[in-house]
Amino acid sequence: MAADLVTRSATQLAAALAAGEVSAREVVDAHLDRIATTDGVVADGDVWAAKDAGALGPDEVHAFLQVTATAARGHADDIDRRRAAGEVLGPLAGVPLALKDVLTMRGAPTTCGSKMLEGWIPPYDATVTELLRAADVVVLGKTNMDEFAMGSSTENSAYGDTRNPWDLDRVPGGSSGGSASAVAALQAPLSIGTDTGGSIRQPAALTGLVGVKPTYGTVSRYGLVAFASSLDQAGPFARSVEDAAQLQSIIQHHDPRDSTSVPQAAPDVLAGLKDGLEGLRIGVISELRGEGYEPGVARVYQEALERFERLGAEIVEVSLPHAAYGLPAYYLIAPSECSSNLARFDGVRYGLRVDAPTAEEMNAATRAQGFGPEVKRRIMIGTHALSSGYFDAYYLQASKVRTLIARDFQAAFESADVLVSPTSPSVAFGLGTKTADPIAMYLNDVATVPASLAGIPALSLPAGLAEAPDQPGTALPVGLQMMAPLLRDDVMYRAAWAFEQDLSFDPTPAGPRALAAGSWRPTTADNGEVAR
Amino acid sequence: MALSPDEVRHVARLARLAVTDEEVAALSPQLSDILGYAEQVGEVAADDVPPTTHPFALTNVTRPDERRPSTAREDILAAAPSVEQDRFSVPRIVAEEG
């Protein structure tokens, strides 16, 4: 029973819960059990802490930083009581979810993967957290991430690496790697990540999931610890397009507490979800195909385009002439905003303080000890880019390039309804293989940052499996990116749903699948047998 | 452009980051590489292009002026590293007169 519950989608669980076939408590307990056996937590007390990074076993995923077990069980019991009393509950009531540790939740620490915030208990809920609770989605705990969401592998966490359930020696992508691995490892059917330059879409691609960055401004940033405010956006991870759409419907909401929250009504991503591809024009971006992608990624992408054509979509070629400048512009704009936003971590109001004789020395010593190397690099780049004499050439010029990229998208959407590209240039790479070279790590984001700069909605969904070039015989997920005009998330979801139905990709890696039989360590060769 | 070790120290001071000599030695080539990469934006002719700082051009966003509870002072202070008389406490800011 329990093993069966963790393999079900959120939509399936919601139906079983509504029909009274299973209780919210049973669903939550099944997922807590799965976390206890696979993740490397000390399953004891009200809040389960992750083991120290050094104490983690080679088979442990380390998706969670803390598991709020008692609160989750209490919420589940409350849902069951209210359902039994005849109360009308939301569509995902009783379904468990993992929350990225960059969103605040009362009563549990929020660390952002940083020593700077170790032990900080926020005195308020993020709007996303409030909306989840109001919908009776049960938060299981907080997930690991690159420190302050800066990274593409989750190796920049101060609390140890998260592993990819498809191959435990590989990264899950980042920065939302914990949220991705939790869902791929069947520890939760849903999770929330945040995406600044690809931090939902790239990990979704590397872990075989659906991951969505909604239109900027449709999901409140209140209580989302800021990295780059004009780019940060929370969104769903799920094992199916419909599950992701259900979750997005819950979290998108105009919020007076976020001055960048868009006042327009958010798109209805459920109404036309199953309308099919007929009549849709799929735009293939000339600048984001072929060059720089692993052969396996390029092959799966080509197959995806053929599938679209077979399903009745019209394939059109479009150009984003300034796409090549997206990544350089992003790596000026995001660090500039980061250097400004992270100035708040000064040892005064919350988090770490390192004592020193004067305030300025205290600030500098606290920040030196609290931040890891990648965060320091980005703060330094941003501080330099915004400093007197350099502002025009760096930040201002990058902001103009941003305008040109947004115009490129507007032009492309005149001839296409949805644009596509591979999500990531590679399949999941080995732990430690890119940490020494910041620019090699940044290149993971080449296909995802243009949509971020334009603010448009974008998602990644599984398109197939491919071999890692460094390890023959492997079978690892490849993601397909879809992008739509501002506030047209619905069109993107519709195309994604039709593609998913035809592909019937199995989102369960071999390891989590084998766990039911008592063993866990997956081999990537087994992945190939479970997927087509 | 390359960032010399002295420039790295200057930027670190602006960013309120204490850096060791080893960190300066490592950061100087790393930051130079990243800036060199990012400088590609200069290749784009964009003199007459307005900058975008936000995907939606929202200006002067206000909310209705309604009374609502604010976070309790003790909840905020509970998270502070050092508190004195219901206030955040910090080391001295102004140098003593010599």
Side-chain angles (χ1 to χ4, degrees), chain A residues 5 8-28 76 79-80 83-84 89-96 136 138:
Chain A
L5 287 177
R8 294 197 210 174
S9 72
T11 310
Q12 289 166 340
L13 286 172
L17 284 157
E21 292 162 20
V22 65
S23 69
R25 179 59 188 264
E26 288 172 302
V27 171
V28 164
I79 291 164
D80 288 333
R83 200 189 296 275
L89 303 174
L92 291 184
V95 175
D136 283 315
V138 180

Side-chain angles (χ1 to χ4, degrees), chain A residues 214-229:
Chain A
T215 295
Y216 177 84
T218 56
V219 180
S220 172
R221 292 187 302 104
Y222 181 78
L224 192 179
V225 179
F227 155 23
S229 306

Side-chain angles (χ1 to χ4, degrees), chain A residues 277 279-289 301 304-305 308-309 313-320 408-409 411-422 447 456 480-485 491-492 495:
Chain A
L277 277 169
L280 279 190
R281 298 165 301 166
I282 304 288
V284 179
I285 302 168
S286 316
E287 289 83 0
L288 294 179
R289 71 184 302 179
Y301 181 57
L305 299 182
F308 277 124
E309 211 152 19
E314 184 190 344
I315 303 285
V316 295
E317 190 93 6
V318 300
S319 175
L320 301 179
D408 285 354
F409 273 113
F413 283 124
E414 282 172 17
S415 55
D417 301 296
V418 176
L419 304 184
V420 294
S421 78
I456 60 173
L480 173 70
Q481 181 177 226
M482 295 186 178
M483 294 156 273
V491 186
M492 175 178 91

Side-chain angles (χ1 to χ4, degrees), chain A residues 47-128:
Chain A
V47 178
W48 302 351
K51 292 181 197 166
D52 287 339
L56 286 165
D59 292 0
E60 291 172 332
V61 177
H62 192 37
F64 284 86
L65 293 176
Q66 56 264 330
V67 179
T68 47
T70 298
R73 291 192 184 114
H75 189 188
D77 288 341
D78 179 53
I79 291 164
D80 288 333
R81 265 194 301 273
R82 285 187 285 125
R83 200 189 296 275
E87 194 175 315
V88 178
L89 303 174
L92 291 184
V95 175
L97 171 143
L99 188 63
K100 186 177 181 180
D101 202 27
V102 72
L103 288 146
T104 61
M105 182 170 77
R106 268 178 206 273
T110 294
T111 68
C112 298
S114 180
K115 290 289 176 189
M116 183 61 90
L117 283 177
E118 189 164 26
W120 179 58
I121 312 267
Y124 67 106
D125 278 336
T127 296
V128 166

Side-chain angles (χ1 to χ4, degrees), chain B residues 60-77:
Chain B
N60 296 337
V61 175
T62 58
R63 59 168 173 77
D65 187 16
E66 292 163 349
R67 288 205 306 175
R68 50 183 186 154
S70 53
T71 309
R73 180 166 59 185
E74 52 269 30
D75 288 353
I76 299 285
L77 291 174

